[in-house]
């Protein structure tokens, strides 16, 4: 399978398919765009931009930023499955002031009806990512103006106005923007299906571009994430029978845009199994990422019916997944 060399063309191919999800975000401050197959959507494909807009949210990807694609597998903690990830990355920059700031009128809003609304930086993004809210509500505008230069985290007055006014949330990066129109759930509520945001103070405080689970190289940060259709889970995250075709469909992206270390680990694991090596005497990766990749390759062979991996999985794939979650923040 021959893949487009231009990242913009790669993105366009994914955007056409509602099976894939999208996000722009940094550690703890993320905006996601998802649409249902039957959902009404307005698509724009222009030489300089791509857009998809529904009643629940919108995304715009702009041509111009020098985006570097990076693809990888992610380990699931269920002992059997894995996921796929594709990030379009740029060099990481030092974060700006992490305080509320007035960005003026949002003249770049995706929908014309939103281009007169006020845009405020929440000061929770990291590196190249900015998380904003957009509103025409006078009470919220007054609260945000009064809170300029302050942290939004722990600011009860501002957050009370945010929950009352239910502003749009806008994620900005060099790749473009994600806009979420759906209401913000209460603090103890569940995120809605479809476009939504996450704002997790303990993770935001780390000022990092991504979780330690994400193998983006040091000095780089994702400006746009594609969440490809999973071979193991539905778009709602529910478990489904393994779809080998979806796993094969992502293989060319891993081959072309995967990490060199991941390729070396995969070759080592497959060579050892083909040589009928004893797992207890095999060279097992020393790095956290190497162990994760090796376990994924064992699982991939297991689901294909290769019984030779059974002793390998008993020895190496029975521990808890080495994943970083909110409890580690």
């Amino acid at each position: 399978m021959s893949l487009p060399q231009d990242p913009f063309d790669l993105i366009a191919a994914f955007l056409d398919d509602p099976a894939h999800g999208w996000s722009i975000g940094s550690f703890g401050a993320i905006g996601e765009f998802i649409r249902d197959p039957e959902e009404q959507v307005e698509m724009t494909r222009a030489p300089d931009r791509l857009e998809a807009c529904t009643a629940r949210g919108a995304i715009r990807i702009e041509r111009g930023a020098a985006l570097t694609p990076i693809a990888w597998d992610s380990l699931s903690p269920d002992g059997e499955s894995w996921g796929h990830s594709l990030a379009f990355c740029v060099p990481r920059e030092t974060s700006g002031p992490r305080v509320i700031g007035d960005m003026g009128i949002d003249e770049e809003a995706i929908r014309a009806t939103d281009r007169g609304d006020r845009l405020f930086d929440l000061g929770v993004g990291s590196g190249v990512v900015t998380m904003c809210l957009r509103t025409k509500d006078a009470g919220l505008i007054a609260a945000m103006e009064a809170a300029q230069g302050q942290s939004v985290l722990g600011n009860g007055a501002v957050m009370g106005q945010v929950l009352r006014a239910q502003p749009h949330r806008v994620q900005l990066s060099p790749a473009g923007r994600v806009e979420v129109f759906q209401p913000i759930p209460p603090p103890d509520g569940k995120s809605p299906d479809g476009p939504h945001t996450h704002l997790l103070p303990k993770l935001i405080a780390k000022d990092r571009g991504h979780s330690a689970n994400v193998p983006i190289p040091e000095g780089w940060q994702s400006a746009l994430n594609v969440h490809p259709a999973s071979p193991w889970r539905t778009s709602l995250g529910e478990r489904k029978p393994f779809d080998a075709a979806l796993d094969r469909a992502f293989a060319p992206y891993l081959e072309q845009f995967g990490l060199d270390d991941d390729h070396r680990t995969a070759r080592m694991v497959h060579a050892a199994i083909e040589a009928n090596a004893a797992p207890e005497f095999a060279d097992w990766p020393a790095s956290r990422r190497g162990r994760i990749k090796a376990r994924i390759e064992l699982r991939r062979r297991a689901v294909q019916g290769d019984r030779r991996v059974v002793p390998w999985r008993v020895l190496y794939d029975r521990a808890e997944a080495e994943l970083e979650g909110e409890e580690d923040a």
Side-chain angles (χ1 to χ4, degrees):
M1 177 181 175
S2 178
L3 299 177
Q5 296 302 305
D6 186 338
F8 192 77
D9 294 332
L10 274 176
I11 291 166
F14 276 100
L15 191 61
D16 285 339
D17 188 345
H20 309 305
W22 302 83
S23 67
I24 290 176
S26 53
F27 199 36
I30 302 169
E32 301 186 35
F33 176 77
I34 307 162
R35 62 186 176 96
D36 297 334
E38 68 280 1
E39 189 170 10
Q40 185 174 353
V41 59
E42 182 178 346
M43 303 289 292
T44 300
R45 185 184 287 236
D48 62 339
R49 73 187 189 282
L50 302 166
E51 294 176 353
C53 184
T54 73
R56 300 186 295 168
I59 185 170
R60 174 189 290 150
I61 298 107
E62 298 174 344
R63 187 191 290 274
L67 303 175
T68 298
I70 298 177
W72 68 93
D73 296 312
S74 55
L75 187 72
S76 299
D78 59 12
E80 185 178 16
S81 66
W82 62 90
H84 298 148
S85 298
L86 178 62
F88 293 86
C89 300
V90 296
R92 177 169 167 78
E93 299 177 359
T94 302
S95 300
R98 307 193 83 201
V99 294
I100 294 171
D102 187 350
M103 300 181 70
I105 301 298
D106 188 11
E107 297 177 346
E108 300 300 320
I110 294 173
R111 301 188 303 191
T113 54
D114 298 320
R115 289 177 193 154
D117 295 359
R118 290 281 290 280
L119 192 67
F120 291 91
D121 181 358
L122 291 175
V124 295
S126 181
V128 300
V129 171
T130 303
M131 186 180 217
C132 310
L133 65 76
R134 182 177 64 212
T135 185
K136 59 170 61 74
D137 182 270
L140 179 54
I141 290 172
M144 296 298 288
E145 288 177 337
Q148 286 189 80
Q150 303 175 23
S151 173
V152 73
L153 303 178
N155 192 322
V158 168
M159 293 309 297
Q161 287 288 342
V162 167
L163 289 173
R164 177 196 61 78
Q166 291 293 323
H168 295 168
R169 281 83 71 214
V170 181
Q171 296 285 121
L172 303 176
S173 84
R177 60 168 58 201
V178 164
E179 301 186 5
V180 177
F181 311 144
Q182 294 203 102
I184 303 168
D188 57 351
K190 177 182 178 293
S191 294
D193 296 336
H196 61 276
T197 49
H198 296 280
L199 196 157
L200 303 171
K202 290 171 64 179
L203 306 188
I204 289 167
K206 291 179 176 286
D207 191 13
R208 283 165 36 187
H210 48 262
S211 161
N213 305 325
V214 174
I216 292 174
E218 186 72 24
W220 291 81
Q221 180 179 0
S222 173
L224 176 70
N225 300 294
V226 183
H227 306 284
S230 169
W232 287 100
R233 298 189 182 276
T234 69
S235 60
L236 298 177
E238 299 166 343
R239 185 67 178 266
K240 67 177 184 180
F242 176 66
D243 187 332
L246 283 177
D247 198 46
R248 288 194 300 269
F250 194 66
Y253 296 89
L254 290 173
E255 179 64 29
Q256 187 162 335
F257 304 119
L259 301 164
D260 289 343
D261 285 348
D262 276 3
H263 293 319
R264 281 191 287 269
T265 297
R267 288 194 296 269
M268 179 208 62
V269 169
H270 295 301
I273 294 170
E274 291 300 322
N276 294 313
E280 59 269 28
F281 299 115
D283 290 330
W284 193 245
S287 70
R288 176 185 188 180
R289 175 61 197 171
R291 292 190 295 272
I292 288 174
K293 178 61 177 176
R295 292 173 68 179
I296 291 167
E297 292 308 313
L298 294 180
R299 293 180 184 189
R300 187 170 269 124
R301 292 186 75 121
V303 80
Q304 294 168 355
D306 189 343
R307 297 290 298 169
R308 292 175 295 179
V309 302
V310 171
W312 289 79
R313 295 194 68 214
V314 168
L315 188 60
Y316 295 121
D317 196 26
R318 287 293 180 264
E320 292 291 325
E322 298 176 74
L323 305 179
E324 176 183 52
E326 186 178 356
E327 67 275 5
D328 300 314

